[in-house]
């Protein structure tokens, strides 16, 4: 199988593609706001500890499983456990999760494109009106943007691993870094910018509690694209002689660095232009932040740099987020694509066509669940709240199933694949891994506290979301 399988052209190609998946909407807005509200520098320290001590081992488990089996998640689990093993359900779950989250992510990416087009075509004043967002998501133009995003993702994925996924990452990721740096340099030169930097970085350990800690873990997990089968799939496009350990570390560093740097763009911008903002007032929701708060902030720039300048800054920001979102969306949809291609012997074209129909239908339903169609808007009720179809996908897959998938992969590696085989496999391409501290640490942590922490987070999320009574 491995002979015909397409591979990334090099380790750098893999790193860029995996970083492209990891760097997404969560980095640009979710992380900076979470840090500012939850203890600044203290949050950053906790986040970094989670990335290093919890996420990197899981990341290596996912990438290692993919590289060893040269298969998508569904095939990966059964290739080690056997087709009749119960583990096949874990494989299916790791395919269904990105399938559903792709729907969710698609909807948000479509909105970003819409706002990008507005900013580029001189409509900054329109999107700066906080009321506009509600109208926009229920208007007909979203369908046009939906077709545009779907076409772009299709065009990238149909070209395959090297000429599609890798090429898109090779173009978009460096562009993203450059745009981010331009934005940071510009924002830091605004008056009062350093008030924002202060809120972002000065540690406040008194803000740390159970909710903040579990929030930091979820953010790190989500940001590194774990629990989604993506790193299994991308790992399967890596050759055995490529160093996996070094690659995983670089992906984690790149992702964290972008998230950190985005904070140096968002917070100074907010505090320079709205000096009276209180960190507590910032919305927890990235969606509210991107689509209602930030456009208003960009509009305020016109007093110093004119409408044209303000529109240019807003356009750059939305382009940056759009690039981040597209490379993530591509990685999400690659998982079910790879499964259809292998399991049902489909061409990539046919697999993508099948996904366009199925995911497309669900995306239309999600798009219509913000008020267009009552049945989808008030889809179900639980935890004492009425939930839309979009909310249900977010609750079930984003919040609940992600840590559960992480737990399953730990258990699988330790109890089924067995740690010595796993270690031997990871060591291919990196002669220093055997006997290293990292190896010892992974041996210990993956069979002890990592699964325990993930299980606790999972149970807490279930109790919180569906029963309204969190443990902490
Ligand atoms: N890691 C991406 C982000 O930070 C989101 C993402 C999650 C992408 C899961 C792919 C899969 O926004």
């Amino acid at each position: 199988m491995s002979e015909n399988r397409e591979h990334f052209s090099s380790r750098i190609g893999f790193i860029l593609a995996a970083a492209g998946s990891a760097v997404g909407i969560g980095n640009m807005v979710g992380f900076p706001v979470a840090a500012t509200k939850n203890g600044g520098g203290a949050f950053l320290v906790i986040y970094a500890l989670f990335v290093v001590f919890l996420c990197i081992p899981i990341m290596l488990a996912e990438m290692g499983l993919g590289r060893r089996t040269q298969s998508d998640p569904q095939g990966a689990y059964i290739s080690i456990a056997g087709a009749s093993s119960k583990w096949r359900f874990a494989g299916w779950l790791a395919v269904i999760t990105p399938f559903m989250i792709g729907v969710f992510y698609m909807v948000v990416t479509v909105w970003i494109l819409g706002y990008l087009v507005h900013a580029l075509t001189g409509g900054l004043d329109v999107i700066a009106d906080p009321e506009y967002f509600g109208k926009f998501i229920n208007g007909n133009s979203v369908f046009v943007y939906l077709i545009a995003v779907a076409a772009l993702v299709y065009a990238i994925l149909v070209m395959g691993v090297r000429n599609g996924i890798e090429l898109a990452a090779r173009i978009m990721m460096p562009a993203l870094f450059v745009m981010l740096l331009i934005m940071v340099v510009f924002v830091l030169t605004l008056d009062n910018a350093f008030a924002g930097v202060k809120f972002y970085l000065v540690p406040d350990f008194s803000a740390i509690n159970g909710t903040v800690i579990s929030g930091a873990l979820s953010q790190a997990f989500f940001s590194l694209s774990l629990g989604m089968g993506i790193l299994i799939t991308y790992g399967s496009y890596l050759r055995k002689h490529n160093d996996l350990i070094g690659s995983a570390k670089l992906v984690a560093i790149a992702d964290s660095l972008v998230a950190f740097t985005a904070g140096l763009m968002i917070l100074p911008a907010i505090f320079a232009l709205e000096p009276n903002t209180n960190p507590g007032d910032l919305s927890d929701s990235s969606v509210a932040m991107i689509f209602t708060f930030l456009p208003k902030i960009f509009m305020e720039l016109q007093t110093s740099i004119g409408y044209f300048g303000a529109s240019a800054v807003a356009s750059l920001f939305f382009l940056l987020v759009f690039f981040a979102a597209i490379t993530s969306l591509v990685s999400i949809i690659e998982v079910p694509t790879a499964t259809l291609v292998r399991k049902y012997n489909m061409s990539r074209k046919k697999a993508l066509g099948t996904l366009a129909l199925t995911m497309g239908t669900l995306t239309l339903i999600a798009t219509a669940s913000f008020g267009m169609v009552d049945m989808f808007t008030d889809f179900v009720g639980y935890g004492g709240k009425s939930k839309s179809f979009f909310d249900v996908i977010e609750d079930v897959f984003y919040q609940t199933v992600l840590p559960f998938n992480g737990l399953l992969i730990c258990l699988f590696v330790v109890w089924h694949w067995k740690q010595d085989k796993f270690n031997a496999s990871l060591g291919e391409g990196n002669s220093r891994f055997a006997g290293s501290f990292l190896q010892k640490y992974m041996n210990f942590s993956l069979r002890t506290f990592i699964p325990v922490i993930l299980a606790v987070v999972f149970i807490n999320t279930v109790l919180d979301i569906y029963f309204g009574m969190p443990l902490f």
Side-chain angles (χ1 to χ4, degrees), residues 347-360:
S347 64
R348 286 184 75 83
K349 248 196 190 131
K350 189 158 175 216
L352 286 164
T354 309
L355 291 172
L357 281 181
T358 47
M359 288 179 79

Side-chain angles (χ1 to χ4, degrees), residues 159-234:
M159 296 304 293
V161 175
R162 225 185 263 195
N163 296 330
I165 301 173
E166 183 177 329
L167 184 64
R170 277 183 188 273
I171 297 171
M172 289 187 184
M173 292 311 285
L176 182 149
F177 288 123
V178 173
M179 287 192 277
L180 183 61
L181 288 181
I182 295 176
M183 285 291 277
V184 170
V185 170
F186 168 71
V187 166
L188 287 178
T189 57
L190 297 173
D191 287 342
N192 208 27
F194 281 86
V197 178
K198 208 171 115 208
F199 275 121
Y200 179 42
L201 297 182
V202 171
D204 171 11
F205 283 94
S206 69
I208 303 300
N209 56 30
T211 320
V212 170
I213 294 178
S214 89
L217 175 59
S218 312
Q219 173 73 30
F221 211 80
F222 166 70
S223 188
L224 291 170
S225 300
L226 300 175
M228 191 94 61
I230 291 173
L231 299 178
I232 302 180
T233 310
Y234 276 15

Side-chain angles (χ1 to χ4, degrees), residues 21-27 105 222-225 228 230 328 331-332:
S21 171
V23 171
I25 302 169
N27 299 60
Y105 218 79
F222 166 70
S223 188
L224 291 170
S225 300
M228 191 94 61
I230 291 173
S328 296
S331 72
I332 300 177

